[in-house]
Amino acid sequence: MAQAQDVRTNTEFSKFDHYYETIQSRKKLPKTLQETLTDAFAKTPVSSFPGVPGGKVIEILAYTPVGEAVKILSENNILAAPVKDPEAGANSDWRDRYLGIIDYSAIILWVLESAELAAAALSAGTVTAAGVGTGTIGALGALALGVTGPAAIAGLTAAAAGAAVAGGIAVNKGMGKDAPQVADNLGGDFYKVILQEEPFKSTTVKSVLKQYRWAPFVPVARNSSMLTVMLLLSKYRLRNVPVIEPGKPEIVNFITQSAVIQGLEGCKGRDWFDCIAERPICDLGLPFMSPHEVISVPDNDLILEAFKQMRDNKIGGLPVVEGPKKRIIGNLSIRDIRHLLLRPELFSNFRKLTVMDFMSKIASLNQEAGKVTRPITCKLDSTLQSVIHTLASQSIHRIYAVNEQEEVIGVITLRDVISCFITEPSYHFDDYYGFAVKEMLNQ
């Protein structure tokens, strides 16, 4: 087991190193300028970075029900929040107080996967045949086999059907064969399932965190440098970095990739920024990702498969393409999953919904009804400043580089832009809170 863990750790860090080395090999900045920039960020304290709106970091307690966590994130218009252990004392070390960071999208992906597992189990006719745990599918089995489903025909109540599924009892074959059709009806009750039904009603954030922990909890102190934050948000693939003050129980700031891009946007007019930002992105080696590395989704693929691609590849978005030449016609973000939850009436058949159907329905919510929003793109001769401005002003996490035929030739993410401004000095992370950052990132 330990050997397997070591292999996984080495693989993860080889990815970090490969990404970093690729960037450094493609960047075309003078060495002296890059060193000057890195030194400047190394001397800038984290305490100088603007705080979160409202001045208080939103935290979610570990035993908060999933439905309540979704409401907290949605009402505060945030995508992620630190998860706090309510049983840890105020004087506890931060390692004991905080269990990780819960991501809005991870919650919804868990819900969608649970629905898929329920359908698979019901189709197979037995829980064990689908290889799923009882807690995951009990409610979905009950709901799918409810008043409007095959259970009604069989004269069973929803509760009885749910108990049978959750208890591992083989479902009647007559019910199982109709399960895919019945599972489609889950869409209409999607929101109800999240807030009122089991296992979602009692499933806690802590439980979901164990299954979908995309990133560990790696904090910095207020007197740490912004270079540390920017390296964690770029090379080490974290989406957000909590800021703590040693000796105090609460997180004092929460710095995201988007917040850093907003900060860089505000630096326009400063010599150090303009000397880089006014260059064409191709002069900086952008996009770092080559065309064959870009993961895209055809417009006629199922929307659930698109979201699963994002989950499996740990990416936040996909270009939607059409035809053999993969001309870009749209953009799908993992944040779009919220529409499946918040507007369930639009997606009653979400298991059969194509990517294009999904985007069209989202477009119907906007002023131009039914018209899919054009994807936000750039060309190789676009300046870095224009890319930063687009990312910041549109509040998006990626922009696609295209050729004259609108074919995707690369993607530029927040992480890539941050990486343009920094390098990692030797031994920068060798001693991080008393131990190597690799140990932190492998939590």
Side-chain angles (χ1 to χ4, degrees):
M1 184 69 176
Q3 184 177 5
Q5 179 74 12
D6 290 340
V7 170
R8 187 183 72 83
T9 303
N10 292 334
T11 300
E12 287 298 315
F13 281 94
S14 66
K15 290 180 182 178
F16 296 149
D17 292 336
H18 175 70
Y19 170 80
Y20 179 70
E21 289 167 3
T22 298
I23 289 176
Q24 300 310 311
S25 65
R26 294 181 181 175
K27 275 199 294 189
K28 300 176 183 178
L29 291 177
K31 184 178 180 181
T32 54
L33 174 59
Q34 186 67 84
E35 290 176 345
T36 299
L37 282 171
T38 298
D39 185 61
F41 285 115
K43 292 178 179 177
T44 303
V46 169
S47 58
S48 66
F49 196 84
V52 297
K56 182 175 177 58
V57 177
I58 301 298
E59 299 179 350
I60 295 179
L61 297 180
Y63 298 112
T64 301
V66 169
E68 183 63 28
V70 170
K71 290 176 64 177
I72 292 172
L73 294 175
S74 299
E75 290 171 358
N76 289 280
N77 195 29
I78 55 177
L79 295 176
V83 177
K84 188 174 182 179
D85 186 352
E87 297 179 357
N91 296 324
S92 301
D93 185 87
W94 59 264
R95 296 179 189 82
D96 299 320
R97 288 200 306 272
Y98 295 99
L99 305 179
I101 296 173
I102 189 67
D103 186 277
Y104 183 102
S105 301
I107 294 175
I108 309 306
L109 283 171
W110 174 75
V111 173
L112 293 177
E113 184 169 280
S114 296
E116 289 294 285
L117 288 174
L122 294 170
S123 297
T126 173
V127 174
T128 55
V132 295
T134 58
T136 306
I137 68 170
L140 287 169
L143 183 62
L145 297 174
V147 176
T148 60
I153 300 174
L156 296 175
T157 65
V165 175
I169 303 173
V171 179
N172 180 283
K173 295 298 180 181
M175 302 180 201
K177 66 181 181 182
D178 293 324
Q181 176 184 350
V182 183
D184 289 336
N185 295 330
L186 289 177
D189 293 307
F190 203 58
Y191 192 63
K192 176 185 175 184
V193 170
I194 283 288
L195 296 179
Q196 301 177 14
E197 301 291 342
E198 297 295 350
F200 309 108
K201 184 177 179 180
S202 59
T203 296
T204 64
V205 167
K206 182 178 181 180
S207 299
V208 177
L209 194 65
K210 290 179 179 178
Q211 298 180 57
Y212 290 93
R213 193 175 191 180
W214 285 12
F217 185 88
V218 183
V220 298
R222 283 172 53 84
N223 61 357
S224 298
S225 73
M226 280 304 299
L227 176 61
T228 296
V229 172
M230 293 174 76
L231 282 168
L232 288 172
L233 293 176
S234 57
K235 176 180 178 179
Y236 293 101
R237 300 189 68 169
L238 299 188
R239 296 179 181 179
N240 31 63
V241 176
V243 180
I244 63 174
E245 191 161 348
K248 294 189 176 181
E250 305 296 332
I251 295 174
V252 297
N253 204 352
F254 197 65
I255 303 177
T256 66
Q257 290 176 326
S258 295
V260 169
I261 296 299
Q262 294 280 354
L264 289 172
E265 164 76 347
C267 293
K268 183 179 180 180
R270 299 185 183 183
D271 291 343
W272 64 267
F273 177 81
D274 291 346
C275 69
I276 296 178
E278 291 178 353
R279 299 178 182 224
I281 59 174
C282 57
D283 283 359
L284 297 168
L286 290 170
F288 297 133
M289 185 179 292
S290 60
H292 74 273
E293 293 176 305
V294 177
I295 301 172
S296 60
V297 58
D299 60 341
N300 57 356
D301 265 16
L302 293 177
I303 189 64
L304 287 184
E305 293 306 314
F307 286 136
K308 286 176 184 177
Q309 270 203 68
M310 294 185 221
R311 178 197 63 199
D312 294 343
N313 291 284
K314 294 187 176 181
I315 54 178
L318 294 169
V320 179
V321 298
E322 69 173 2
K325 292 190 175 182
K326 297 185 176 181
R327 185 178 70 89
I328 187 170
I329 61 171
N331 172 62
L332 191 64
S333 168
I334 202 162
R335 292 183 293 176
D336 292 331
I337 298 176
R338 70 187 186 278
H339 294 291
L340 287 177
L341 173 64
L342 300 179
R343 299 299 296 269
E345 71 277 8
L346 296 177
F347 305 104
S348 60
N349 64 334
F350 70 89
R351 292 183 67 249
K352 291 181 179 178
L353 205 66
T354 67
V355 171
M356 180 53 73
D357 289 340
F358 179 79
M359 292 196 303
S360 296
K361 285 183 179 292
I362 292 177
S364 69
L365 303 177
N366 302 326
Q367 292 182 349
E368 297 184 75
K371 186 177 181 181
V372 175
T373 305
R374 286 182 56 81
I376 299 175
T377 61
C378 67
K379 300 293 178 61
L380 291 181
D381 59 358
S382 301
T383 65
L384 181 61
Q385 164 60 29
S386 68
V387 169
I388 291 175
H389 174 71
T390 299
L391 291 169
S393 62
Q394 299 292 324
S395 298
I396 56 177
H397 290 187
R398 67 201 53 79
I399 184 170
Y400 297 102
V402 298
N403 59 21
E404 296 301 325
Q405 290 73 45
E406 295 295 306
E407 297 165 355
V408 180
I409 57 177
V411 57
I412 300 173
T413 65
L414 303 181
R415 175 190 183 199
D416 296 333
V417 172
I418 295 171
S419 299
C420 285
F421 290 88
I422 57 172
T423 57
E424 182 177 17
S426 299
Y427 313 114
H428 182 76
F429 277 125
D430 271 18
D431 187 10
Y432 191 85
Y433 286 112
F435 48 96
V437 71
K438 289 187 177 183
E439 182 180 342
M440 296 277 291
L441 292 167
N442 193 46
Q443 292 180 59

